[in-house]
Amino acid sequence: TGVQTCALPISMNVALCCLSVLLMALAAVEIFLVANRLRLRRVELDSARDLERAAEQKVTLQRHQILNHILRSMLDSLHVNQLPEDVLKNIASLFAADLVTIWVADKQRAGQFACRGSYGLANHTAENMAGVPWSFPQFASTGATTEQHVVTDPVMQVESAAHRAFIEKEGVHAFVFNPIVRRAEVIGIVGVFYRQPVELPEALTEEMRTVTNAIAVALQAEALYHDLVRVQKIESVGTLASGIAH
C-alpha cells in the first residue's frame, strides 16, 4: 500500500508535466500561426499600398497628359473666339465635370461676356448660349475679386438671372467660375459645372487656375497676332502708296 501511495503522486506529476509540455507546444504553435498571419497581413497591406501608389501615379500621369494636351491646343490655336470642342472636352475630363463653358469679355458691351464654347450641354444649344448677354457681377464691378468663385448651393448663391435659369435648366448642383485674368483685368470666365453634389479639393481648383492661365496666354497671343496683322496691313498700304507715288 505504501508503494502505491508513493507511485500516485509520481504519476500525477508526470501527467502534469506532460500536460504543461503539451500546453507550451500548443501556445508555441498558436504564436507561430499568429505571427504568420500577421506577416501575411503585412505583405497584403504592402501589396495594397504598392497598387494604390501605382494607381495614383497612373492617374497623376493621365491628368498631366490631359493638362499638357489642353495647354498645347490652346497655345497652338489663335482663334480663341470659338474654342475647339476637344479642348472643352479635355477640360471636362480633367476635372470630372459634366459641363464646361467659356465666356470672353464683350469688347462692344462693357460688363458683359459672350459665350465662346460649351461642352456637355443637355438642355441648351450653342446658339442659345451665344445669344444671351451674360454678366458676372462678382467679377465685373469696381474692386471686384479675381479669385475663383466656388458655389455648392447654386439656388442661394447665383446673382445673375441668366445664370439662375441656365443652372436650373441644366440641373447643376455645384460649379466653379474661374476668372481668366490679364493685367489684373478679368477678360473671360471658365465655368466648370457638376450635376451632382461634389467636394472640390484645393488641388483640383489649383489645376483649374493653371488651365485659365493657359487660356489667358492664348487670348494674349491672339491679340498680339491680330495687332501684328494690322501693322503688316498698314505697312503694306504704306508701301503700295509709296510705290504709286513714285
Side-chain angles (χ1 to χ4, degrees):
T1 305
V3 174
Q4 291 177 349
T5 303
C6 291
L8 184 59
I10 293 175
S11 62
M12 291 180 63
N13 288 335
V14 171
L16 289 173
C17 288
C18 291
L19 181 60
S20 297
V21 171
L22 180 60
L23 291 174
M24 291 175 63
L26 291 174
V29 171
E30 183 63 24
I31 291 172
F32 172 78
L33 292 175
V34 170
N36 191 53
R37 284 196 295 269
L38 290 174
R39 182 183 64 81
L40 292 175
R41 180 59 177 163
R42 189 178 298 112
V43 171
E44 291 175 356
L45 289 174
D46 290 342
S47 178
R49 291 192 188 100
D50 291 340
L51 290 174
E52 184 178 355
R53 280 193 294 267
E56 289 177 353
Q57 291 173 355
K58 184 177 179 180
V59 170
T60 301
L61 178 61
Q62 289 175 342
R63 295 181 69 81
H64 285 165
Q65 289 174 342
I66 294 173
L67 182 58
N68 289 335
H69 180 74
I70 292 171
L71 298 179
R72 286 197 305 270
S73 298
M74 291 300 306
L75 294 175
D76 288 344
S77 174
L78 291 177
H79 301 288
V80 189
N81 280 337
Q82 190 63 42
L83 291 174
E85 185 177 357
D86 66 319
V87 171
L88 300 173
K89 182 178 180 180
N90 281 324
I91 292 175
S93 175
L94 182 64
F95 303 128
D98 299 300
L99 171 60
V100 173
T101 299
I102 295 183
W103 293 270
V104 175
D106 191 332
K107 296 179 181 179
Q108 307 299 323
R109 295 176 291 184
Q112 293 189 355
F113 293 76
C115 179
R116 291 295 181 244
S118 294
Y119 173 81
L121 293 172
N123 297 304
H124 291 79
T125 64
E127 290 74 16
N128 295 149
M129 299 295 290
V132 175
W134 301 93
S135 64
F136 294 84
Q138 63 270 49
F139 298 118
S141 60
T142 303
T145 182
T146 57
E147 296 297 320
Q148 289 171 311
H149 188 58
V150 181
V151 175
T152 55
D153 188 0
V155 176
M156 301 298 295
Q157 301 182 36
V158 177
E159 301 177 41
S160 167
H163 284 297
R164 280 198 300 272
F166 169 74
I167 285 167
E168 290 174 3
K169 196 170 181 180
E170 289 293 334
V172 171
H173 283 263
F175 65 87
V176 182
F177 283 151
N178 303 275
I180 305 169
V181 182
R182 185 177 66 193
R183 298 174 184 173
E185 179 186 0
V186 176
I187 60 173
I189 307 290
V190 179
V192 181
F193 300 88
Y194 299 86
R195 293 191 172 96
Q196 298 293 332
V198 294
E199 293 184 3
L200 298 168
E202 185 177 350
L204 190 67
T205 56
E206 188 63 33
E207 282 186 335
M208 292 182 187
R209 291 190 185 96
T210 301
V211 171
T212 54
N213 290 339
I215 295 174
V217 170
L219 289 171
Q220 184 174 9
E222 182 190 32
L224 292 173
Y225 172 76
H226 290 308
D227 288 343
L228 178 61
V229 169
R230 281 194 294 270
V231 169
Q232 288 177 340
K233 286 181 178 179
I234 293 172
E235 289 178 350
S236 298
V237 171
T239 302
L240 179 60
S242 177
I244 294 173
H246 287 83

